[in-house]
Amino acid sequence: MGLLIWLDGKLVDESQAMVSVFDHGLLYGDGVFEGIRVYGGKIFEFQAHLKRLYESASVIRLVIPMTMEELAAATQETVKANNIADGYIRLIITRGKGNLGLNPFTCSRAGVIIIASTIQLYPPELYERGMKVISAVTVRNHPLAIPPQVKSLNYLNNIIAKMEALDNNVPEAIMYNHEGYVAEATGDNVFIVRDGILYSPPVQAGSLEGVTRSVVIRLAKKLEIPFVEKNLTRFDLYVADEFFLTGTAAEVIAVVEIDGRTIGSGKPGPITGRLREAFFDYANGNSTC
Ligand code: PMP
């Protein structure tokens, strides 16, 4: 027996969890999703993730065929059925089965898939040493094309930039928007520290409104670390004292080099360390924010 997957209203073994080749999620990347952590048996920031999922769906005019409460209950049930205490949930809403044409209105019912499993994005050494990144040549999606705040099933923009990183033997790439300002990494939000002040680009610069980012901003306020949201350039990244990325899967990870320029001492910085520690205290229920 493999994992039990929630598929359109019931739990089925992963060997039976199939979607139609006519699902527009597959044919066109037409759908939305969420990645959510489970820490100590508790679904982390569940409300924030559900809100983002329903907002993303509404922007692309996708009707989720369950209320938020029903979807939350189904997610809890899937986590329980797979005995996940510390893990990762993937909620996927596809446009559903339709014709071989773009028209989403041929799809009568959206598909709902819930996977509760585990994830290890990077090896533990990378969290201790910090990672190297590059600046991607690939520009982040223009907000008037598909708004980067929509967590859609179409990640090609990010995947192309991810390949640039991997071609350069680094795990991540920083993406810039059409105006040259920092947007985000391929699956994570960006923070830097300079002269004791924490900075992150506004979501409007072309990033997903990260749930981890919001938690880190709240924790910074609690720790009395000054925080400023402002557009950042490549220069700002190059001269940063500290640099880190946040994301559900990546959690909080230091960046120690970008485009061959060393950040600070070349090791994860002290403010990054404090925020990382505060993040895990909060995630494990040992503090509030
Ligand atoms: N940006 C992108 C493009 C993402 O896919 C993600 C999620 N992996 C993030 C940022 C971080 O968001 P969150 O903290 O909500 O996981």
Side-chain angles (χ1 to χ4, degrees), residues 21-255:
V21 293
F22 293 101
D23 192 313
H24 281 210
L26 173 69
L27 289 173
Y28 299 115
D30 187 349
V32 293
F33 77 103
E34 279 297 318
I36 313 172
R37 283 263 182 188
V38 183
Y39 291 107
K42 196 166 172 291
I43 302 180
F44 186 63
E45 300 294 287
F46 198 16
Q47 277 311 312
H49 283 287
L50 286 169
K51 182 166 182 277
R52 189 170 67 188
L53 183 73
Y54 277 80
E55 282 178 357
S56 290
S58 122
V59 172
I60 68 161
R61 296 174 63 189
L62 171 60
V63 179
I64 300 177
M66 295 169 88
T67 63
M68 208 187 263
E69 292 70 31
E70 286 167 348
L71 187 61
T75 307
Q76 299 279 12
E77 191 184 329
T78 310
V79 168
K80 219 167 150 204
N82 290 285
N83 284 317
I84 301 293
D86 288 285
Y88 179 83
I89 304 163
R90 183 60 66 90
L91 287 185
I92 306 153
I93 316 292
T94 72
R95 185 74 70 175
K97 207 171 145 183
N99 295 341
L100 284 178
L102 285 180
N103 184 352
F105 306 124
T106 66
C107 309
S108 54
R109 192 180 162 85
V112 178
I113 301 165
I114 309 171
I115 305 170
S117 183
T118 52
I119 196 166
Q120 165 83 56
L121 199 61
Y122 300 119
E125 311 86 74
L126 212 54
Y127 288 88
E128 280 152 41
R129 279 191 277 114
M131 66 157 87
K132 296 180 181 180
V133 302
I134 56 145
S135 292
V137 171
T138 307
V139 169
R140 188 75 181 101
N141 279 340
H142 194 291
L144 293 178
I146 175 77
Q149 282 117 307
V150 173
K151 196 162 171 65
S152 89
L153 287 180
N154 195 319
Y155 257 56
L156 274 178
N157 182 225
N158 314 54
I159 291 166
I160 299 287
K162 182 83 172 181
M163 286 194 283
E164 289 187 47
L166 298 174
D167 285 344
N168 284 280
N169 296 314
V170 297
E172 256 299 352
I174 303 303
M175 301 185 75
Y176 299 80
N177 67 20
H178 56 286
E179 292 177 314
Y181 291 115
V182 175
E184 59 183 341
T186 68
D188 301 306
N189 290 109
V190 169
F191 284 87
I192 59 165
V193 177
R194 193 178 185 204
D195 298 330
I197 299 171
L198 181 68
Y199 297 93
S200 182
V203 169
Q204 291 74 14
S207 74
L208 189 72
E209 192 165 2
V211 170
T212 319
R213 175 182 184 274
S214 305
V215 169
V216 165
I217 292 169
R218 285 189 341 247
L219 289 170
K221 289 191 177 143
K222 193 178 159 198
L223 295 175
E224 297 182 355
I225 298 164
F227 170 69
V228 177
E229 194 173 68
K230 72 163 193 161
N231 271 324
L232 301 175
T233 62
R234 195 175 291 199
F235 173 88
D236 295 317
L237 303 186
Y238 288 171
V239 301
D241 301 323
E242 298 184 38
F243 186 166
F244 65 92
L245 306 178
T246 63
T248 294
E251 299 169 314
V252 177
I253 187 160
V255 173

